[in-house]
Amino acid sequence: MRHFCARALLVLMGACAADGALALDAAGAKPVIDKFLASQREPQTSADAVQHVIADLNADGKPDIVLMWNVLGPTYFHPKLTLFLDQGRSYRVLTTDLNGQTERLSVKGSDITVDTLTLGPNDARCCPTRKTRMHFRWQGGKLVVLR
Protein backbone atom coordinates (compact mmCIF):
# COMPACT_ATOMS: atom_id res chain seq x y z
CA MET A 1 0.00 0.00 0.00
CA ARG A 2 2.83 2.38 0.92
CA HIS A 3 4.56 1.68 -2.42
CA PHE A 4 1.28 2.30 -4.28
CA CYS A 5 0.71 5.65 -2.47
CA ALA A 6 4.21 6.82 -3.30
CA ARG A 7 3.74 5.90 -6.96
CA ALA A 8 0.33 7.66 -7.06
CA LEU A 9 1.90 10.77 -5.51
CA LEU A 10 4.66 10.80 -8.15
CA VAL A 11 2.11 10.45 -10.95
CA LEU A 12 0.06 13.30 -9.48
CA MET A 13 3.18 15.48 -9.12
CA GLY A 14 4.09 14.75 -12.74
CA ALA A 15 0.61 15.70 -13.90
CA CYS A 16 0.77 18.95 -11.94
CA ALA A 17 4.20 19.75 -13.34
CA ALA A 18 2.98 19.12 -16.88
CA ASP A 19 -0.02 21.42 -16.36
CA GLY A 20 2.18 24.04 -14.70
CA ALA A 21 4.59 24.02 -17.64
CA LEU A 22 2.04 25.88 -19.74
CA ALA A 23 0.80 28.05 -16.88
CA LEU A 24 2.57 31.23 -18.09
CA ASP A 25 -0.17 33.81 -18.51
CA ALA A 26 -0.38 37.39 -19.79
CA ALA A 27 0.78 38.73 -16.43
CA GLY A 28 3.82 36.44 -16.47
CA ALA A 29 4.66 37.29 -20.09
CA LYS A 30 4.37 41.06 -19.58
CA PRO A 31 7.71 41.58 -17.76
CA VAL A 32 9.54 39.50 -20.39
CA ILE A 33 7.96 41.49 -23.21
CA ASP A 34 8.45 44.87 -21.49
CA LYS A 35 12.15 44.22 -20.84
CA PHE A 36 12.68 43.14 -24.45
CA LEU A 37 10.84 46.14 -25.90
CA ALA A 38 12.80 48.53 -23.66
CA SER A 39 16.02 47.07 -25.08
CA GLN A 40 14.81 47.75 -28.64
CA ARG A 41 14.22 51.48 -28.25
CA GLU A 42 16.56 53.88 -30.00
CA PRO A 43 16.61 57.69 -30.04
CA GLN A 44 13.38 59.08 -31.54
CA THR A 45 11.74 55.65 -31.72
CA SER A 46 9.55 53.53 -29.53
CA ALA A 47 8.82 49.82 -29.51
CA ASP A 48 5.21 48.90 -28.85
CA ALA A 49 3.58 45.50 -28.44
CA VAL A 50 0.61 44.81 -30.70
CA GLN A 51 -0.35 41.27 -29.62
CA HIS A 52 1.22 38.21 -28.05
CA VAL A 53 0.30 34.55 -27.82
CA ILE A 54 1.58 31.98 -25.33
CA ALA A 55 2.10 28.57 -26.93
CA ASP A 56 4.49 25.63 -26.90
CA LEU A 57 6.10 26.15 -30.33
CA ASN A 58 8.79 23.48 -30.04
CA ALA A 59 6.72 20.85 -28.19
CA ASP A 60 9.09 20.74 -25.21
CA GLY A 61 6.32 21.25 -22.64
CA LYS A 62 7.49 24.79 -21.80
CA PRO A 63 5.47 27.92 -22.59
CA ASP A 64 6.94 30.09 -25.32
CA ILE A 65 5.89 33.63 -26.21
CA VAL A 66 5.14 34.84 -29.74
CA LEU A 67 5.11 38.64 -29.92
CA MET A 68 3.94 40.88 -32.75
CA TRP A 69 5.24 44.42 -32.24
CA ASN A 70 6.17 47.65 -34.02
CA VAL A 71 9.18 49.94 -34.06
CA LEU A 72 7.61 53.39 -34.31
CA GLY A 73 9.62 56.30 -35.66
CA PRO A 74 8.66 59.93 -36.29
CA THR A 75 7.17 59.15 -39.73
CA TYR A 76 7.38 55.36 -40.08
CA PHE A 77 6.78 52.02 -38.46
CA HIS A 78 8.40 48.61 -38.90
CA PRO A 79 6.35 45.57 -37.84
CA LYS A 80 8.24 42.69 -36.24
CA LEU A 81 7.63 39.17 -34.99
CA THR A 82 9.66 37.89 -32.05
CA LEU A 83 9.75 34.41 -30.54
CA PHE A 84 10.77 33.85 -26.93
CA LEU A 85 11.61 30.16 -26.58
CA ASP A 86 11.74 29.02 -22.96
CA GLN A 87 15.20 27.64 -22.15
CA GLY A 88 14.55 27.16 -18.44
CA ARG A 89 16.20 30.15 -16.76
CA SER A 90 16.14 32.37 -19.85
CA TYR A 91 14.62 32.71 -23.29
CA ARG A 92 16.13 32.19 -26.71
CA VAL A 93 14.95 35.26 -28.64
CA LEU A 94 14.52 35.38 -32.42
CA THR A 95 13.12 38.33 -34.39
CA THR A 96 12.05 38.70 -38.01
CA ASP A 97 10.53 41.54 -40.01
CA LEU A 98 6.92 41.53 -41.14
CA ASN A 99 5.30 43.28 -44.10
CA GLY A 100 2.38 45.68 -43.98
CA GLN A 101 0.18 46.84 -41.17
CA THR A 102 -0.26 43.98 -38.72
CA GLU A 103 -3.80 43.02 -37.78
CA ARG A 104 -3.87 39.64 -36.03
CA LEU A 105 -1.55 36.94 -34.72
CA SER A 106 -2.54 33.30 -34.28
CA VAL A 107 -0.55 30.23 -33.27
CA LYS A 108 -1.51 26.58 -33.64
CA GLY A 109 1.15 24.10 -32.58
CA SER A 110 4.34 25.20 -34.31
CA ASP A 111 2.49 27.18 -37.01
CA ILE A 112 2.27 30.96 -36.76
CA THR A 113 -0.07 33.09 -38.88
CA VAL A 114 0.05 36.88 -39.14
CA ASP A 115 -2.77 38.74 -40.86
CA THR A 116 -1.72 42.07 -42.36
CA LEU A 117 -2.92 44.84 -44.62
CA THR A 118 -0.64 45.84 -47.49
CA LEU A 119 -0.95 48.52 -50.14
CA GLY A 120 -3.31 47.79 -52.99
CA PRO A 121 -2.84 49.30 -56.45
CA ASN A 122 -4.91 52.43 -55.68
CA ASP A 123 -4.13 52.83 -51.97
CA ALA A 124 -2.54 55.91 -50.45
CA ARG A 125 0.56 55.09 -48.35
CA CYS A 126 -1.41 55.78 -45.19
CA CYS A 127 -4.23 53.44 -45.87
CA PRO A 128 -3.51 49.85 -46.98
CA THR A 129 -6.56 47.76 -47.88
CA ARG A 130 -5.21 44.50 -49.37
CA LYS A 131 -5.59 41.66 -46.85
CA THR A 132 -2.58 39.38 -46.78
CA ARG A 133 -1.54 36.46 -44.61
CA MET A 134 2.00 35.47 -43.65
CA HIS A 135 2.70 31.89 -42.52
CA PHE A 136 5.65 30.71 -40.44
CA ARG A 137 6.59 27.42 -38.82
CA TRP A 138 9.04 26.63 -36.03
CA GLN A 139 10.84 23.64 -37.53
CA GLY A 140 14.23 22.09 -36.88
CA GLY A 141 15.30 24.87 -34.50
CA LYS A 142 14.51 27.60 -37.05
CA LEU A 143 11.68 29.91 -38.00
CA VAL A 144 10.69 28.92 -41.54
CA VAL A 145 8.65 31.18 -43.83
CA LEU A 146 5.94 29.16 -45.56
CA ARG A 147 4.77 30.20 -49.01
Side-chain angles (χ1 to χ4, degrees):
M1 176 72 173
R2 193 168 159 179
H3 181 66
F4 173 78
C5 289
R7 181 178 288 169
L9 180 59
L10 285 175
V11 170
L12 275 174
M13 287 174 56
C16 291
D19 290 343
L22 294 174
L24 181 68
D25 60 7
K30 185 175 179 2
V32 175
I33 292 169
D34 289 347
K35 182 178 179 181
F36 171 77
L37 292 176
S39 74
Q40 300 302 303
R41 291 188 180 99
E42 295 181 7
Q44 298 187 358
T45 69
S46 65
D48 295 330
V50 175
Q51 181 185 352
H52 75 273
V53 174
I54 298 167
D56 184 7
L57 287 175
N58 52 4
D60 65 355
K62 298 176 190 169
D64 305 309
I65 304 167
V66 182
L67 173 66
M68 188 169 66
W69 59 287
N70 290 315
V71 174
L72 302 170
T75 59
Y76 62 87
F77 72 96
H78 296 293
K80 309 268 186 184
L81 180 72
T82 298
L83 309 182
F84 299 84
L85 300 166
D86 190 333
Q87 302 292 298
R89 294 179 182 238
S90 64
Y91 288 93
R92 177 179 173 196
V93 180
L94 302 112
T95 298
T96 191
D97 293 326
L98 298 172
N99 297 320
Q101 180 180 318
T102 55
E103 295 261 291
R104 184 173 173 267
L105 169 68
S106 59
V107 179
K108 185 174 182 180
S110 60
D111 292 337
I112 302 166
T113 303
V114 178
D115 292 326
T116 66
L117 292 175
T118 57
L119 292 175
N122 299 316
D123 291 345
R125 283 184 64 81
C126 69
C127 310
T129 60
R130 180 184 289 162
K131 293 181 185 250
T132 58
R133 188 167 271 176
M134 301 176 73
H135 298 280
F136 302 90
R137 178 174 292 144
W138 181 255
Q139 182 176 323
K142 297 178 184 176
L143 184 63
V144 177
V145 178
L146 303 177
R147 304 267 175 213

